[in-house]
Amino acid sequence: MRAVLLGTAAGGGVPQWNCACPGCRGARAGRHPARAQDCLAISADGASWYLVNASPDIRTQLLGCPALAPGPGARETPLRGVLLTDGELDHTTGLFQLKEAGGLTVHAPEPVLAALPARTVLEPYARWDWRIAGSGELGGLRVDVLPVSGKRPKYAADAPGTWVVAYRFTDPATGGRLVYAPCLAGWPFGFEEFCAGADVVLLDGSFHGSAEMSGATGGDVGDPAQRAMGHLPMAGPGGSLRKPRPPGARLLYTHLNNTNPVLDESSPEHAAMRAAGAELAPEGAELVL
C-alpha cells in the first residue's frame, strides 16, 4: 500500500490568504513549511489511485505528484475515485476541478451524498457514480468505515445521521494498515479498536488548544465556538494526545489549522507533542505499508 500526503492543512491552508496570525506569518517567512489543504492519495499497487477528500488545491496537488500523472494514453489517468470523510467545502470543492474526468466513483456518508452541491453540478459533465461509504474491498485494499460524528457543513440543511467518518485501509498482501481521521469532534466510540494494529494513524490536528483561535487571530472565538467546528484539540484533559494509541503505531497529525502553534518546530507545544510520541504529517511524503 502506498499513501501520499497531498495536503495536511485545515481549510484555507497555511498560510491563509487573508490571515497574518503568527502561524501564517511564519509560513510566509519560511520559518516553517507552507501546507496545502487536507487530501490523501492511496493505492494498493501504484497503478490505480483513490483520493481521500478533494481539496480546493487539488489541481496543484495532482500536478505535484508523479504517481498521479496521466498516461500513457493522451487522456488516461490513474485516478479511479474519491472517498470523502465529510461534506465540508475544504474537502469537497476539489470535485469541481475533476470535471474533466470521464466520470469517477465518489464514496461518502449518506447525508453528504444527499446535500453535496458538486453532485448536482457535475452529473451533466460525465457519468459519475455516487455511493454510500461502506466497508469492503476497493482497488485491492480492504476499506473499513467508522462513523465519527453528526457535524454537518454550514451549507447543508439540518438532517440526522452520520456526516463524518474515518477510514481504515488494510493491504491484504502485506498486512499494512493506515487509519485516516482528519475530523474528530470528539473521541468516537470504538475508535481505539478501529485503530488496533495500525502502522500509521493520521489524526485530526486542527487545534492544539480549545480556544487558540481567539488568541492567534484576535477574534472572539472561545472554547464553545471553536469546539462547534468539529475538531477535538490535541492538548488538555480530553485532548487526543492523552488518548491511548495502538502500540507501535506512528501517530501523524494532519488537517492542521493555521493557528496551531505546533506548526512552529521551536515552540514548546511542538516539543510537548514530540515528547508524547506524535509528529506532524510531512507534506508531500509517501508512506509505504
Side-chain angles (χ1 to χ4, degrees):
M1 174 166 52
R2 296 170 60 186
V4 180
L5 309 180
L6 296 177
T8 57
V14 181
Q16 288 189 13
W17 69 271
N18 65 333
C19 187
C21 73
C24 289
R25 292 200 304 269
R28 287 191 178 95
R31 291 192 293 273
H32 54 77
R35 293 176 180 267
Q37 293 168 93
D38 183 76
C39 184
L40 179 76
I42 196 158
S43 174
D45 57 10
S48 297
W49 289 82
Y50 292 83
L51 297 177
V52 191
N53 293 331
S55 88
D57 301 318
I58 193 63
R59 179 180 179 275
T60 301
Q61 291 168 332
L62 292 175
L63 291 176
C65 181
L68 290 165
R75 298 291 282 187
E76 289 183 29
T77 171
L79 186 59
R80 298 290 178 263
V82 182
L83 298 91
L84 300 176
T85 60
D86 53 76
E88 298 295 341
L89 293 178
D90 53 307
H91 285 160
T92 62
T93 52
L95 291 172
F96 291 110
Q97 297 185 56
L98 300 177
K99 68 181 186 302
E100 292 87 2
L104 295 170
T105 300
V106 179
H107 305 256
E110 187 171 7
V112 173
L113 289 181
L116 197 62
R119 183 173 184 177
T120 303
V121 174
L122 288 172
E123 284 186 330
Y125 287 86
R127 297 180 60 185
W128 290 70
D129 187 9
W130 306 88
R131 300 183 184 180
I132 299 172
S135 300
E137 191 275 341
L138 184 69
L141 297 175
R142 168 71 191 183
V143 180
D144 292 289
V145 181
L146 180 73
V148 168
S149 78
K151 167 66 172 62
R152 64 179 175 85
K154 290 182 178 180
Y155 65 78
D158 192 10
T162 298
W163 284 85
V164 187
V165 300
Y167 290 104
R168 181 177 65 204
F169 300 94
T170 304
D171 187 334
T174 66
R177 183 173 289 184
L178 179 146
V179 172
Y180 194 62
C183 294
L184 295 177
W187 199 251
F189 177 78
F191 191 60
E192 292 166 36
E193 292 80 4
F194 191 71
C195 294
D199 300 285
V200 175
V201 177
L202 286 155
L203 199 63
D204 188 345
S206 300
F207 303 116
H208 181 267
S210 61
E212 72 185 41
M213 289 189 70
S214 179
T217 64
D220 185 20
V221 184
D223 188 358
Q226 184 175 298
R227 282 187 178 269
M229 296 178 185
H231 300 287
L232 179 71
M234 297 164 60
S240 58
L241 280 172
R242 299 196 181 183
K243 300 295 185 180
R245 69 197 65 164
R250 186 181 180 191
L251 177 59
L252 301 177
Y253 278 107
T254 190
H255 203 270
L256 299 153
N257 200 56
N258 58 311
T259 58
N260 195 326
V262 300
L263 292 168
D264 181 356
E265 294 185 2
S266 66
S267 68
E269 291 87 355
H270 186 96
M273 175 195 69
R274 294 305 304 266
E279 311 168 53
L280 297 186
E283 185 95 356
E286 179 175 326
L287 307 174
V288 181
L289 307 171

